[in-house]
Amino acid sequence: MDNKYSHDVFISFSFKDQALADKIVNQLMNKYQIPCWICTEQIRAGDYYYDEIADAITASKILVFVQTKNSVESKEIPDEVLTAIDEGKTIISFIV
């Protein structure tokens, strides 16, 4: 993706579930041509992580919450979900 903010879906997940999140992104982007933003692909060394996340959520239409035991225990994911709520985004829980 050339522009890190040209996406429809923000993927919220635990780094412990990286392989699962990558499969979801792969399906959405390759099978359905739905542009996704996932931090492991778009955030680069030197980027201010929290600002990048907030900007990406703001630019998205939908937040997909990959809900696993790991993500429920995360300290960062609730902030992502609250940002999406504050921004009036649609939130879809992908429960595993």
Side-chain angles (χ1 to χ4, degrees), residues 6-76:
S6 62
H7 61 278
D8 292 329
V9 177
F10 177 95
I11 306 295
S12 180
F13 70 102
S14 167
F15 289 127
K16 294 177 182 176
D17 301 316
Q18 177 75 51
L20 175 60
D22 288 341
K23 286 180 184 178
I24 293 168
V25 169
N26 185 46
Q27 285 292 307
L28 290 173
M29 291 182 72
N30 295 323
K31 186 171 185 180
Y32 300 105
Q33 290 74 49
I34 298 172
C36 296
W37 193 97
I38 185 167
C39 64
T40 52
E41 293 292 322
Q42 276 80 22
I43 293 181
R44 304 290 178 235
D47 288 347
Y48 188 65
Y49 182 84
Y50 294 105
D51 286 348
E52 292 291 325
I53 294 289
D55 290 346
I57 292 169
T58 298
S60 70
K61 296 177 183 172
I62 296 169
L63 179 137
V64 171
F65 171 36
V66 181
Q67 187 174 344
T68 65
K69 180 181 184 291
N70 296 322
S71 65
V72 170
E73 294 173 353
S74 168
K75 293 180 182 176
E76 291 82 17

